[in-house]
Amino acid sequence: MRNLRKAQVWLTGALAAGALIAGTGTAQAWYWDGKVDVGEFGGYSGFLSTGSVIDTPYNYPTLANEYYANSYSLIVDNTISSYWNRHSGTWNVYTGYNYSGVHGWLPSGHRGDASSTFNNKISSMRK
């Protein structure tokens, strides 16, 4: 009887864990997954949206400790060469930490290469 009770408890726990993993079946965008989804800013290490990518909906006062989603050996700070703004608003980029230095902005939907002013010089960004 004791083994039957243990099996029931284990089975109940396994079913509950399976329900959590299965979820409700709705689509959800995950930031930092290497895919720039609607609502996110995408920064690429190469021109023409190539190379490693940071995809995020969040502000970053410093990119010094951030790594690209698909390259955990490459730090984002001062390595962005192109970008894609899939957020509904403007994204602001800065050459200095804490939103300082030269300031540039990317309107909603903008996709392109960084100018010589910002190429490999972006250190912070925010919406």
Side-chain angles (χ1 to χ4, degrees), residues 24-101:
T24 60
T26 59
Q28 180 176 2
W30 294 96
Y31 74 97
W32 230 277
D33 61 359
K35 180 178 173 238
V36 183
D37 297 305
V38 173
E40 293 183 332
F41 171 87
Y44 300 87
S45 62
F47 291 111
L48 303 172
S49 302
T50 62
S52 298
V53 63
I54 173 179
D55 57 305
T56 181
Y58 300 111
N59 299 330
Y60 287 92
T62 178
L63 293 168
N65 299 314
E66 304 300 331
Y67 293 86
Y68 285 98
N70 50 351
S71 176
Y72 295 110
S73 61
L74 182 60
I75 294 178
V76 176
D77 187 35
N78 293 317
T79 60
I80 294 176
S81 293
S82 59
Y83 22 68
W84 185 12
N85 180 6
R86 293 201 67 196
H87 187 267
S88 60
T90 299
W91 268 88
N92 300 279
V93 294
Y94 304 83
T95 58
Y97 300 122
N98 297 313
Y99 316 117
S100 65

Side-chain angles (χ1 to χ4, degrees), residues 101-121:
V102 179
H103 169 234
W105 59 94
L106 307 165
S108 179
H110 178 77
R111 186 175 197 167
D113 291 341
S115 68
S116 60
T117 302
F118 293 98
N119 183 38
N120 293 325
K121 296 176 187 168

